[in-house]
Amino acid sequence: MLPLFQGMSRNDIENVVAHTRLGFSKHGKNKVVINEGKKCVNLCFLMQGEMEAVTNAYDGSYSIGETFGAPAMIQPECLFGLKQIYTKTFIATTECRMVYIGKNEVTKLMAEFDIFRINMLNILCTKVQRLSHMQWQKPPQDIRRKIFAFVEKRCQTAVGHKTMKIKMEVLAEQIGESRINVSSCLAALENEGLLKHSRATMDIPALERLNE
Amino acid sequence: MLPLFQGMSRNDIENVVAHTRLGFSKHGKNKVVINEGKKCVNLCFLMQGEMEAVTNAYDGSYSIGETFGAPAMIQPECLFGLKQIYTKTFIATTECRMVYIGKNEVTKLMAEFDIFRINMLNILCTKVQRLSHMQWQKPPQDIRRKIFAFVEKRCQTAVGHKTMKIKMEVLAEQIGESRINVSSCLAALENEGLLKHSRATMDIPALERLNE
């Protein structure tokens, strides 16, 4: 069940579905579902399938993609606040089914359903807490953990499949290590099956394993 | 006016004040108002005076203090979410007056007043957006900007008076520079009046000037 509806009774959920205008869409494999920079006017849910969320560095020097599956909520932090635009591009990696709730409907649901309101606040507050927390962690000293932290800080979760499009020298500069050291660390990770590296693409099957 | 009540009519605000149980407190100069680790059960507002919010690094190797004045809301992101405890210690730097609203009352206000609810969501979402944004900035190359970024990433705002209790070698390690380079940068900043440095204490009158 989606965390936003967690704790709601069957009756409440039936009420929500009955009284809320919902949008639906279906997307084929490899289709772009949401583009970075698009105005966020709906709360979007991935109900079925798997997607990749790709974020580009501001200077365009690298990008990081995260794979995630249904059920999931798409960037709820973009629905309110200073910049109400998606900061990631979402691409269907399998066939996907989406459900949308308009912003006005979301604020109505928050007025009517205590649990919905508290779930939304819990989700947003947890995000702030997680991001603030990361700033106070001790910076890692070995290269492997530096690469882990580099990806972790830029991702929604610290686990699962991530991809990076990044040149070795850019990664070296970002984590403050020499290109040679990064190169030999990547080779070691590849030997252990924790990473696949070809040209400027790095495929990390399970990010959490880099931190073991 | 507090951003949480921004846009509310005089009538609405009178309604809030009339129907909400409010707590009040007064604190003398240099008194601790809230201790780090304390459970957050109220939404706290600084209504009058000035405070310092001090955060300690997890390994205890340094701390950063931020000065801020009324009106201000104290860590609204701690009222919900995974860890409902304050992560900072708040100390009155002048005589302070505080107002408290209990968590239950806050969720009631969010149900009753559309503007209150939307303001709360805007504040939390903006915090998530700001913290996520910082992760994607290009890492600074010169030492002065590295010191600025080190403080900025750990503070609620990038402007105003900040203090650090940090040994020069800890700062050097944190920003990945040699102790010698950090030492000469601090001397230069001190010459320009941007920083006062004595033993392990650094006083930055206006953080934003380090980024000019």
Side-chain angles (χ1 to χ4, degrees):
Chain A
M1 198 47 209
L2 278 167
L4 194 54
F5 298 99
Q6 214 156 44
M8 283 176 96
S9 66
R10 196 192 161 86
N11 195 30
D12 275 353
I13 292 177
E14 279 170 2
N15 245 318
V16 169
V17 174
H19 293 99
T20 308
R21 227 176 306 161
L22 299 173
F24 296 90
S25 69
K26 202 175 133 179
H27 304 268
K29 190 176 169 177
N30 297 327
K31 294 288 180 201
V32 172
V33 179
I34 296 169
N35 260 305
E36 174 195 342
K38 192 189 161 194
K39 205 164 158 17
C40 175
V41 294
N42 291 301
L43 197 53
C44 298
F45 301 92
L46 174 62
M47 299 307 283
Q48 209 184 308
E50 213 179 68
M51 288 180 133
E52 191 180 21
V54 180
T55 319
N56 291 294
Y58 293 131
D59 63 357
S61 66
Y62 65 93
S63 72
I64 297 182
E66 286 189 84
T67 311
F68 63 97
M73 188 153 54
I74 310 290
Q75 295 210 289
E77 71 273 18
C78 299
L79 197 57
F80 296 92
L82 212 56
K83 292 198 174 167
Q84 300 173 12
I85 54 168
Y86 294 101
T87 61
K88 298 168 190 289
T89 295
F90 294 86
I91 302 157
T93 52
T94 67
E95 192 170 274
C96 284
R97 282 173 190 278
M98 308 279 299
V99 169
Y100 309 84
I101 308 178
K103 187 170 166 169
N104 285 344
E105 300 272 305
V106 173
T107 82
K108 253 178 54 194
L109 288 175
M110 287 188 71
E112 281 170 40
F113 297 97
D114 291 0
I115 298 184
F116 186 93
R117 175 170 67 254
I118 288 170
N119 286 342
M120 186 71 165
L121 290 169
N122 279 333
I123 289 164
L124 292 173
C125 286
T126 299
K127 274 183 188 279
V128 178
Q129 290 166 16
R130 174 175 182 262
L131 288 163
S132 309
H133 172 86
M134 283 197 299
Q135 307 294 8
W136 291 90
Q137 279 174 311
K138 203 175 160 63
Q141 297 305 310
D142 67 288
I143 303 185
R144 189 177 289 218
R145 286 212 160 74
K146 280 186 184 177
I147 295 175
F148 170 82
F150 174 79
V151 184
E152 183 207 14
K153 285 194 170 181
R154 289 159 181 79
C155 282
Q156 310 261 14
T157 70
V159 297
H161 180 210
K162 320 282 178 191
T163 55
M164 284 206 279
K165 289 204 170 122
I166 191 167
K167 282 190 192 138
M168 228 192 281
E169 48 271 31
V170 174
L171 181 57
E173 195 196 342
Q174 288 276 342
I175 67 174
E177 286 282 348
S178 71
R179 196 188 174 290
I180 299 286
N181 286 349
V182 170
S183 169
S184 66
C185 178
L186 292 178
L189 290 171
E190 200 155 7
N191 270 336
E192 296 172 47
L194 304 179
L195 182 133
K196 260 179 268 172
H197 180 214
S198 64
R199 270 179 288 177
T201 303
M202 294 173 202
D203 189 278
I204 304 169
L207 179 63
E208 66 276 17
R209 294 190 57 202
L210 260 59
N211 203 30
E212 274 165 11
Chain B
M1 198 49 210
L2 278 168
L4 194 54
F5 298 98
Q6 216 156 42
M8 283 176 97
S9 66
R10 197 195 160 86
N11 196 27
D12 276 351
I13 291 177
E14 278 169 3
N15 245 319
V16 170
V17 174
H19 293 100
T20 309
R21 228 176 304 160
L22 299 174
F24 296 91
S25 69
K26 203 174 131 178
H27 305 267
K29 191 179 167 174
N30 298 328
K31 295 287 180 201
V32 172
V33 180
I34 296 169
N35 259 305
E36 173 196 342
K38 194 190 160 193
K39 203 166 161 15
C40 175
V41 294
N42 291 301
L43 197 54
C44 298
F45 302 92
L46 173 64
M47 299 307 285
Q48 209 182 307
E50 213 179 69
M51 289 181 135
E52 191 180 21
V54 180
T55 319
N56 290 294
Y58 294 131
D59 63 357
S61 66
Y62 66 93
S63 71
I64 296 182
E66 287 189 83
T67 311
F68 63 96
M73 187 155 52
I74 311 289
Q75 296 209 287
E77 72 272 18
C78 300
L79 197 58
F80 296 92
L82 213 56
K83 292 198 174 168
Q84 300 174 13
I85 55 169
Y86 293 101
T87 61
K88 299 168 188 289
T89 295
F90 294 86
I91 302 157
T93 53
T94 68
E95 193 171 273
C96 283
R97 283 172 190 278
M98 308 280 297
V99 170
Y100 308 84
I101 308 178
K103 188 169 165 170
N104 285 344
E105 300 272 306
V106 173
T107 82
K108 253 178 52 192
L109 288 174
M110 287 189 70
E112 282 171 39
F113 297 97
D114 291 359
I115 298 184
F116 186 92
R117 176 171 67 252
I118 287 170
N119 285 343
M120 187 71 163
L121 291 170
N122 279 333
I123 289 164
L124 291 173
C125 287
T126 299
K127 276 185 189 277
V128 179
Q129 290 165 17
R130 176 178 179 261
L131 287 163
S132 309
H133 172 86
M134 282 197 300
Q135 307 293 10
W136 291 90
Q137 281 174 309
K138 204 175 160 62
Q141 297 306 310
D142 68 288
I143 304 186
R144 189 178 290 217
R145 287 214 159 75
K146 281 186 185 178
I147 295 174
F148 170 82
F150 173 79
V151 184
E152 183 208 16
K153 284 195 170 182
R154 288 158 182 79
C155 284
Q156 310 260 15
T157 69
V159 297
H161 180 208
K162 320 282 178 191
T163 56
M164 284 205 280
K165 289 205 170 122
I166 191 166
K167 282 189 191 137
M168 226 190 282
E169 48 272 29
V170 174
L171 181 57
E173 195 196 341
Q174 289 276 342
I175 65 173
E177 286 282 348
S178 72
R179 196 188 176 289
I180 298 285
N181 286 349
V182 170
S183 169
S184 68
C185 177
L186 292 177
L189 289 171
E190 198 153 12
N191 269 336
E192 295 172 49
L194 303 181
L195 182 133
K196 261 180 266 171
H197 181 213
S198 65
R199 272 178 287 175
T201 304
M202 294 174 203
D203 190 279
I204 305 169
L207 179 63
E208 65 277 16
R209 294 190 57 203
L210 259 60
N211 202 30
E212 273 166 12

